[in-house]
Amino acid sequence: MVEVVLDDVRKTFNDGQVVAVDDIGLDIEEGELIVLVGPSGCGKSTTLRCIAGLETPDGGTITFGGHDVTDLPPKDREISMVFQNYALYPSMTVYENMAFGLKMRDADSQRIDEQVRWAASIMEIGDLLDRYPNQLSGGQQQRVALGRSIVRDPAAFLLDEPLSNLDAKLRSVMRTEIQELQQQLDVATVFVTHDQEEAMSMGDRIAVMNAGRIEQVASPEKIYHDPTSLFVADFIGSPAINFLEMTVEGGQLRGEGLEIDLPTGVSEELSEGLPGEEVVLGIRPEDLSLTDPGEGLTDLDVQVVEPMGDTKIVYVDFGDRRLNIVVPFDTTVEEDETVGIDVAWPNVHFFSPEGPKVCTWGQTTPPSEPAGNRGTVADGSGQANSAAETDGGTAGEDARGEASDDGELTGTGDER
Amino acid sequence: MATIDRFERGDRSLSDRLLGEYGSLQGILFLLPSLLLLGFIVLYPMIFNGVLLSFRQFTLDPALANPWVGLENYQYWLFGGGQALFLFSIKMTLLYELVVVPFDLMVALAAALVLNETLPARPLWRGLMLAGYAAPPVAAGLTFAVMEQAASYGVVYNFLSMFFSVPASGGITSNSPWAFWGVVFAKVWRDFGFMYVVFLAGVQSIPSELYEIAKVDGAGPVRRFRHITLPHLRTIIVTVVMIRTIFTIGKVEIPWAVTKGGPVNYTTFLGVAIFKQGFLNWSLGRAAALGMMFSLAIIPLIVLWVRSETEDYG
């Protein structure tokens, strides 16, 4: 059991033309399961391969328990690895597959036998030991690959999209099994996946990667509720977060005919944090809710309703943006119906168009109470209505009126 | 229905049972065009120009009669004047096979393994490896014959003389143990491209993750070759060795171009012996008899090959 530390690790291909891993730093604590997640080509697998020693970094260091292993070959790192396609040796039985690593390290046959049978019992594959890989189902092969990886009592566990070849049901079973196994062995584990749901459900911490860099490392909850960049907000969460491009002028948000007054904390942080007037609002689908027409922030036409079982996803067009709204399954809503839309303002994130987050409505300094927020919206609307000359016109006026009338900013959808 | 058929099997006619066992009449009808074509281009010449010819004293001169001589041609090889050459030729052919096929295999496998690695200008090297296979066998043989002479242009001779004392007069091709090797070099250079291409395809189809996990498991290059590459190529190796063995026995062009079967009959392998008998001595009946015996001898090899093929896909 060791701590794995990556320090400024850089890996390029094609004589430096393609930067796969761009000076990343990452601490993986003892017994921690960290998930590297990101779209294809973001460098997550290359990072894992650098940790495994299958790629040699161009720069930076990798240490295991304080020892520099950057230039050590894979066999001297005492790691074990599981690949997406399991990579079982086709000419060997399950037993031989599992024994191979120990055999290559010249372990005596009694120890090999003990270890293989121990791992087989953990993975519940004791009755498959004499079979060949081509006689096993995908799930069984996966168990064998996992069993093989724990036989050697590794210092770190590296899993490269190990569940991608399995069907959805088996995948969720194996997720749990891998988590249990990892807790049982208490080994630093790096799990690579492109599937954000898998990342959310498995990781102690998640490292979201993009274009060779780590955008954010945090717990799944933190990543979801407090994304630090547009990319993280966009990548994590299904259905995807809604983005609205608006401008900040005179303490107000403006765009698509809306004018919304910002609380003091937010407007101060935005005026300091934004390069210009443009801002991108990030609103999770569950932070939007439906109201009766005329009672929300604005009225929009429902385009599509997708029943998901426990929820429904309602799609509405807002300007040239399509918004996803998650509502409870018993909400009565039809396609082509006109509905009011409301926003749980405290959960709204404000991003600079260049990517980094500037602030969250509910987390500004000094922190403002949710009720205060609501009040600010309502009051602010009134002020804007009477004072500033805006391009918002009638639509803006309507919207403000609705916002001020609406007592509840969250949960209005539930009431329908 | 199936169970009823099974119980009634005893009552059915032979043709019905054969059809039941091996397919339908329809299937045979589908096969008929290819069977006819094969019959015309393989069976007909084999029977009329092979089997029947071997029982005649046949020459090309239309003025001469080609009398039926029964088993005389076979007797000539087995017990008569041709016996010594026949036995010597079999011995040298076996030796030739035992040297050429493994040599071919090793060169091809080595080339495939090296060119599967990342190298500068790899496509160029991969293409160059096929130069031999693209060359006409006679041209390759003649070129080697030239390179095997004791002269400034005799690169093969000059290279070998650095390690061995090869007689200068006649070079490699006209001195007895060396001529054999002279043919072997030309043959392997000309032919290894076939095995090389097959092996390269085989090696490329091995998932790279297997090698990576083996590295993680601590296996060095030799063990990776032994435990991953070799098992993966096993069926391919069996198949190409069979094909090469069968197709090397009867080949004439390269031994003929390099040594003309000499010195004396030293490199007169079976194919060369048939060729010499037929087209140097114009004794086509005896050549046909030798060819027939040769055909019978390779049947077991063909059976083995077909069996290994069907095992894989059966």
Side-chain angles (χ1 to χ4, degrees):
Chain A
M1 277 195 289
V2 293
E3 181 194 19
V4 177
V5 179
L6 280 72
D7 194 16
D8 278 340
V9 172
R10 183 180 184 78
K11 176 70 190 173
T12 60
F13 294 103
N14 288 1
D15 297 326
Q17 287 173 12
V18 180
V19 181
V21 178
D22 195 359
D23 297 331
I24 68 165
L26 186 64
D27 289 9
I28 304 148
E29 287 158 23
E30 287 183 23
E32 183 186 30
L33 198 165
I34 195 157
V35 178
L36 293 183
V37 67
S40 342
C42 72
K44 56 191 188 299
S45 283
T46 310
T47 307
L48 189 80
R49 292 167 62 82
C50 287
I51 301 175
L54 295 169
E55 304 284 355
T56 311
D58 300 339
T61 54
I62 299 169
T63 55
F64 283 13
H67 300 286
D68 188 345
V69 298
T70 317
D71 296 315
L72 285 186
K75 70 180 170 73
D76 296 332
R77 298 190 181 200
E78 294 301 328
I79 45 118
S80 69
M81 205 161 170
V82 177
F83 288 95
Q84 179 175 353
N85 61 8
Y86 324 129
L88 299 176
Y89 306 115
S91 61
M92 297 183 202
T93 62
V94 167
Y95 185 96
E96 288 163 342
N97 260 286
M98 292 171 74
F100 191 72
L102 286 172
K103 222 163 134 187
M104 291 300 112
R105 284 169 164 75
D106 300 318
D108 65 78
S109 55
Q110 196 194 334
R111 172 154 181 259
I112 293 178
D113 195 61
E114 279 169 15
Q115 287 291 102
V116 169
R117 290 188 191 284
W118 166 77
S121 70
I122 287 188
M123 295 315 299
E124 295 171 12
I125 48 171
D127 52 341
L128 304 178
L129 289 176
D130 295 328
R131 300 235 198 125
Y132 284 91
N134 64 3
Q135 298 168 319
L136 304 176
S137 69
Q140 288 171 329
Q141 291 191 35
Q142 175 62 267
R143 279 166 200 275
V144 174
L146 283 168
R148 176 175 66 180
S149 71
I150 62 174
V151 159
R152 271 192 295 107
D153 205 5
F157 238 159
L158 309 175
L159 304 127
D160 193 358
E161 309 222 9
L163 306 180
S164 300
N165 283 9
L166 301 177
D167 61 65
K169 202 172 171 188
L170 196 52
R171 203 180 305 159
S172 73
V173 174
M174 291 306 292
R175 268 185 208 169
T176 323
E177 287 204 14
I178 291 178
Q179 278 173 293
E180 282 172 3
L181 180 67
Q182 198 268 339
Q183 279 161 12
Q184 196 176 341
L185 299 175
D186 203 25
V187 173
T189 302
V190 186
F191 187 106
V192 164
T193 180
H194 63 270
D195 180 345
Q196 55 91 20
E197 272 182 52
E198 204 164 277
M200 293 291 287
S201 68
M202 293 192 70
D204 293 333
R205 281 192 304 158
I206 297 176
V208 183
M209 290 190 68
N210 179 30
R213 290 180 165 276
I214 292 180
E215 293 262 340
Q216 186 175 4
V217 190
S219 67
E221 296 76 19
K222 178 105 173 137
I223 292 262
Y224 186 81
H225 295 292
D226 192 11
T228 54
S229 68
L230 269 176
F231 178 84
V232 175
D234 191 25
F235 191 79
I236 300 290
S238 173
I241 195 168
N242 299 294
F243 288 124
L244 294 177
E245 287 98 3
M246 299 188 99
T247 51
V248 182
E249 282 178 75
Q252 282 189 323
L253 273 179
R254 295 179 189 176
E256 301 295 345
L258 295 180
E259 287 176 16
I260 300 149
D261 276 20
L262 290 165
T264 329
V266 175
S267 63
E268 276 173 6
E269 287 196 28
L270 284 178
S271 65
E272 283 165 19
L274 286 177
E277 291 178 337
E278 304 292 316
V279 68
V280 181
L281 272 67
I283 312 170
R284 292 279 175 207
E286 60 274 20
D287 294 329
L288 286 172
S289 52
L290 303 184
T291 64
D292 290 328
E295 289 183 6
L297 186 65
T298 183
D299 288 351
L300 296 168
D301 291 336
V302 173
Q303 303 295 323
V304 181
V305 179
E306 279 180 5
M308 304 298 288
D310 53 345
T311 56
K312 280 179 183 170
I313 306 174
V314 179
Y315 296 90
V316 295
D317 282 348
F318 179 68
D320 54 357
R321 280 276 180 183
R322 177 156 284 194
L323 304 180
N324 319 317
I325 305 168
V326 173
V327 297
F329 74 98
D330 54 359
T331 311
T332 332
V333 56
E334 301 288 332
E335 287 169 16
D336 300 327
E337 185 186 342
T338 302
V339 291
I341 305 295
D342 217 338
V343 181
W345 287 106
N347 299 335
V348 173
H349 308 282
F350 295 90
F351 299 97
S352 151
E354 287 154 7
K357 183 159 81 175
V358 182
C359 62
T360 300
W361 187 297
Q363 289 172 9
T364 48
T365 42
S368 42
E369 291 168 34
N373 282 339
R374 286 207 301 276
T376 317
V377 176
D379 298 343
S381 303
Q383 285 160 18
N385 213 356
S386 58
E389 278 184 26
T390 62
D391 301 329
T394 328
E397 220 171 290
D398 289 346
R400 288 190 301 274
E402 284 149 23
S404 53
D405 291 339
D406 184 26
E408 283 288 317
L409 279 165
T410 51
T412 40
D414 300 24
E415 289 162 8
R416 282 167 60 90
Chain B
M1 276 305 284
T3 46
I4 294 169
D5 278 351
R6 190 165 294 166
F7 284 121
E8 287 177 352
R9 183 167 288 179
D11 302 331
R12 294 187 303 168
S13 70
L14 177 69
S15 61
D16 275 358
R17 267 187 287 159
L18 281 177
L19 283 176
E21 206 65 39
Y22 294 107
S24 62
L25 190 63
Q26 228 175 11
I28 291 172
L29 281 174
F30 276 122
L31 276 177
L32 207 57
S34 6
L35 283 178
L36 282 176
L37 189 69
L38 279 177
F40 182 69
I41 60 172
V42 177
L43 224 56
Y44 168 78
M46 192 165 166
I47 290 167
F48 286 89
N49 293 338
V51 179
L52 294 184
L53 198 64
S54 70
F55 297 113
R56 288 175 186 278
Q57 185 191 340
F58 190 89
T59 63
L60 284 185
D61 190 339
L64 293 175
N66 298 313
W68 185 268
V69 292
L71 292 171
E72 204 178 273
N73 288 331
Y74 290 91
Q75 258 171 345
Y76 171 81
W77 291 115
L78 294 174
F79 313 108
Q83 190 195 36
L85 176 62
F86 179 60
L87 293 178
F88 183 72
S89 179
I90 288 177
K91 190 182 96 179
M92 291 312 285
T93 307
L94 288 176
L95 198 62
Y96 183 56
E97 289 279 3
L98 283 176
V99 171
V100 165
V101 176
F103 197 177
D104 195 348
L105 177 85
M106 282 189 289
V107 173
L109 191 55
L113 290 176
V114 169
L115 291 171
N116 190 44
E117 299 296 318
T118 316
L119 299 170
R122 186 167 69 172
L124 176 73
W125 301 118
R126 283 189 174 170
L128 274 181
M129 287 293 141
L130 287 172
Y133 205 57
V138 173
L142 289 174
T143 312
F144 263 80
V146 169
M147 294 193 296
E148 287 166 357
Q149 299 311 309
S152 55
Y153 48 76
V155 281
V156 178
Y157 176 88
N158 292 330
F159 178 75
L160 280 183
S161 347
M162 283 157 55
F163 309 99
F164 308 98
S165 61
V166 189
S169 158
I172 293 172
T173 56
S174 305
N175 290 289
S176 69
W178 296 105
F180 177 82
W181 292 102
V183 178
V184 168
F185 296 147
K187 178 76 179 163
V188 170
W189 182 81
R190 164 62 180 67
D191 280 356
F192 85 92
F194 169 72
M195 280 204 202
Y196 152 77
V197 167
V198 178
F199 287 156
L200 187 61
V203 172
Q204 283 175 333
S205 73
I206 303 176
S208 59
E209 288 91 349
L210 284 180
Y211 290 108
E212 292 178 341
I213 200 79
K215 281 182 194 169
V216 171
D217 274 341
V222 176
R223 281 164 150 178
R224 290 201 293 272
F225 176 75
R226 212 188 109 199
H227 293 289
I228 299 171
T229 314
L230 218 48
H232 194 90
L233 295 180
R234 197 179 54 104
T235 49
I236 300 177
I237 290 176
V238 171
T239 306
V240 290
V241 163
M242 288 289 181
I243 294 175
R244 261 287 158 255
T245 309
I246 292 164
F247 291 117
T248 301
I249 295 181
K251 282 283 191 294
V252 180
E253 304 99 313
I254 288 176
W256 186 254
V258 179
T259 60
K260 291 201 160 46
V264 195
N265 283 326
Y266 192 72
T267 55
T268 302
F269 310 120
L270 269 175
V272 179
I274 297 169
F275 178 78
K276 270 177 155 180
Q277 201 62 38
F279 301 104
L280 242 60
N281 301 342
W282 298 112
S283 179
L284 293 169
R286 282 180 182 168
L290 195 54
M292 281 301 119
M293 291 191 283
F294 160 67
S295 305
L296 289 177
I298 61 167
I299 284 177
L301 279 178
I302 294 173
V303 170
L304 269 179
W305 175 37
V306 171
R307 209 174 264 177
S308 75
E309 286 286 289
T310 44
E311 259 171 24
D312 287 342
Y313 306 105

